Amino acid sequence: MVFTSLPGTRAPVRVWTDPYGIEPQAAQQLRNIGALPWVEGVAVMPDVHFGKGATVGSVIAMRQAVSPAAVGVDIGCGMSAVRTSLTADDLPDDLAPLRAAIEAAIPVGFAKHDDAVDPRRVRGLEQRGWDDFWRRFGTLDKRVAQLETRAQQQLGTLGGGNHFIEVCLEQGGPDAGRVWLMLHSGSRNIGKELAERHIGIARRLPHNADLPDRDLAVFLAGTPEMEAYRRDLWWAQEYARRNRAVMLALLSGVVRDRFPQVGFDEPISCHHNYVAEETYGGVDVLVTRKGVIRAGAGDLGIIPGSMGTGSYIVRGKGNPDAYCSASHGAGRRMSRGQAKRTFSTEDLVRQTAGVECRKDAGVVDEIPGAYKDITEVMAQQEDLVEVVAHLKQVVCVKG
């Protein structure tokens, strides 16, 4: 669809969904963002929904400023995927042992590795830059200094909530039945700790005193607070990228142990909670994508649905009106609490039929019915991305 505009804002707020279908709380957040004096423009994705401070599914371009809440607390959260040489015919009828092996290799929920992962011992893991990366931990906000060991042990772990690991089958086309590996995770506890500390600092700065929402507090260029945030932000984004790389290598190892003949294509990886320095119309801006992937011309990205629907590998079209962006997934249509009140474990079993996954009360809040229809979301952003592959999960590991 071609974007429409949200009325009543100072900066342009361009929307890739029906603006009257946006939940009132989220619409008010978008208006609050569009009123900020530093905002150059906002792009709203079809999976938009209410979030803390800034809506999930929004791109915010600011001049000489950045709002840490517009990034989110899971700094660098994103997706990774790789296509394998396996096909559906190579997989066993009973996929429960494969799911168990994945859960044994990659800690989920609050679990962590007993010791820090040694990249030299993980086949297929990029070896460069690890020593320098961990040395830079000492430059981070001093209030997280005691978390270094925990951060090392959590590297290569999934976490909980909407994070997942999947084994998927490609749908349709000449490669129908090809097996893909996919995962969704971020910067774990260390990213959250850094984000919350900087959000707290921003709230107390005098220039943020009269904002319509305290969670939209910004840092301004040229200030020590901005420099400190950017330093910690870049490190956390790299942590998230390395976290996914470790997990993808461990996941590939699980598959290789069971299918020695397997081959792997080049992995795809993309953040969907992050900051980037970009230029549009000759204007340099700091772009925050919260629940949004970059979709520059030719960029490969990943847009997942829920744990019972499917996902898409996409190629960006580089639409500047959307700040070269696209949705990060289907997007929630109801809160976790509402989902638990609405659905039962019987509903979960029915909606995840054919998927080897948890089907207990602990993941009812992740039931497909709590999410928007991914096919409708994709249809609303045909001018942002083209579909490269449509995937359907057969194994889903949740935290």
Side-chain angles (χ1 to χ4, degrees):
M1 65 176 289
V2 178
F3 72 83
T4 56
S5 296
L6 191 69
T9 62
R10 183 196 62 79
V13 179
R14 297 182 283 269
V15 181
W16 271 261
T17 188
D18 177 6
Y20 298 102
I22 299 173
E23 58 189 314
Q25 283 180 299
Q28 185 58 52
Q29 281 187 324
L30 293 169
R31 290 189 175 91
N32 290 343
I33 295 165
L36 296 178
W38 309 279
V39 172
E40 183 75 9
V42 182
V44 183
M45 299 296 103
D47 62 341
V48 63
H49 57 281
F50 179 74
K52 185 176 178 60
T55 49
V56 180
S58 61
V59 189
I60 304 171
M62 288 190 179
R63 292 197 194 195
Q64 303 296 304
V66 67
S67 170
V71 183
V73 295
D74 192 358
I75 298 172
C77 186
M79 300 286 303
S80 292
V82 64
R83 188 172 71 166
T84 78
S85 61
L86 301 175
T87 69
D89 292 338
D90 295 312
L91 299 179
D93 292 336
D94 183 5
L95 293 170
L98 178 58
R99 176 165 77 98
I102 294 170
E103 292 170 343
I106 301 173
V108 303
F110 292 107
K112 59 184 184 295
H113 292 285
D114 293 334
D115 299 298
V117 171
D118 183 347
R120 296 168 298 180
R121 295 181 177 272
V122 181
R123 181 177 173 181
L125 185 60
E126 171 62 55
Q127 296 297 305
R128 292 176 296 180
W130 285 95
D131 289 342
D132 176 68
F133 170 70
W134 282 118
R135 273 196 297 269
R136 284 188 283 123
F137 190 96
T139 70
L140 302 180
D141 189 305
K142 298 305 180 186
R143 293 170 296 173
V144 303
Q146 77 281 8
L147 299 176
E148 183 171 8
T149 298
R150 182 177 182 180
Q152 290 174 338
Q153 292 175 324
Q154 284 194 323
L155 192 77
T157 67
L158 184 65
N162 62 354
H163 293 166
F164 64 80
I165 299 168
E166 289 183 342
V167 179
C168 305
L169 300 180
E170 191 164 338
Q171 306 293 295
D175 291 313
R178 285 284 288 273
V179 174
W180 286 71
L181 308 180
M182 179 182 295
L183 58 87
H184 170 212
S185 191
S187 52
R188 306 296 289 110
N189 177 256
I190 187 62
K192 174 179 178 292
E193 293 287 341
L194 288 169
E196 289 179 343
R197 280 160 171 72
H198 286 288
I199 289 171
I201 292 170
R203 284 174 173 169
R204 296 191 293 271
L205 295 175
H207 63 261
N208 292 317
D210 297 324
L211 295 181
D213 184 342
R214 294 177 63 236
D215 286 324
L216 288 177
V218 304
F219 294 122
L220 301 180
T223 64
E225 293 86 2
M226 171 71 102
E227 292 309 306
Y229 176 62
R230 285 167 63 110
R231 176 201 64 217
D232 292 359
L233 173 78
W234 302 144
W235 187 91
Q237 289 181 179
E238 184 177 353
Y239 181 100
R241 178 183 63 80
R242 289 180 181 271
N243 181 44
R244 292 195 298 273
V246 171
M247 282 191 287
L248 195 61
L250 293 173
L251 176 59
S252 298
V254 170
V255 173
R256 191 183 294 110
D257 287 344
R258 280 149 185 78
F259 309 96
Q261 78 278 18
V262 68
F264 300 96
D265 290 352
E266 190 69 21
I268 302 167
S269 183
C270 58
H271 290 324
H272 55 225
N273 282 7
Y274 75 111
V275 178
E277 299 171 336
E278 297 177 1
T279 303
Y280 295 93
V283 178
D284 295 332
V285 288
L286 283 169
V287 176
T288 58
R289 293 184 173 92
K290 183 176 184 180
V292 179
I293 64 170
R294 177 170 171 81
D299 288 346
L300 289 175
I302 307 163
I303 302 178
S306 66
M307 64 187 288
T309 54
S311 301
Y312 292 86
I313 306 298
V314 299
R315 182 178 290 109
K317 294 185 175 181
N319 189 326
D321 290 326
Y323 298 106
C324 297
S325 303
S327 78
H328 83 313
R332 298 192 72 93
R333 67 181 184 90
M334 62 177 66
S335 69
R336 295 185 181 279
Q338 184 181 356
K340 290 178 179 178
R341 292 188 297 270
T342 304
F343 297 107
S344 66
T345 54
E346 289 77 15
D347 295 321
L348 179 64
V349 169
R350 184 174 60 256
Q351 293 185 27
T352 58
V355 181
E356 172 56 46
C357 64
R358 287 179 58 186
K359 300 177 191 284
D360 57 80
V363 292
V364 167
D365 57 341
E366 282 293 299
I367 192 170
Y371 284 83
K372 297 177 182 178
D373 185 337
I374 185 64
T375 59
E376 292 182 7
V377 168
M378 296 303 298
Q380 291 175 318
Q381 54 186 338
E382 290 180 343
D383 60 335
L384 306 183
V385 293
E386 61 176 324
V387 174
V388 174
H390 177 205
L391 311 181
K392 176 67 174 69
Q393 66 272 76
V394 291
V395 176
C396 179
V397 171
K398 300 288 292 187

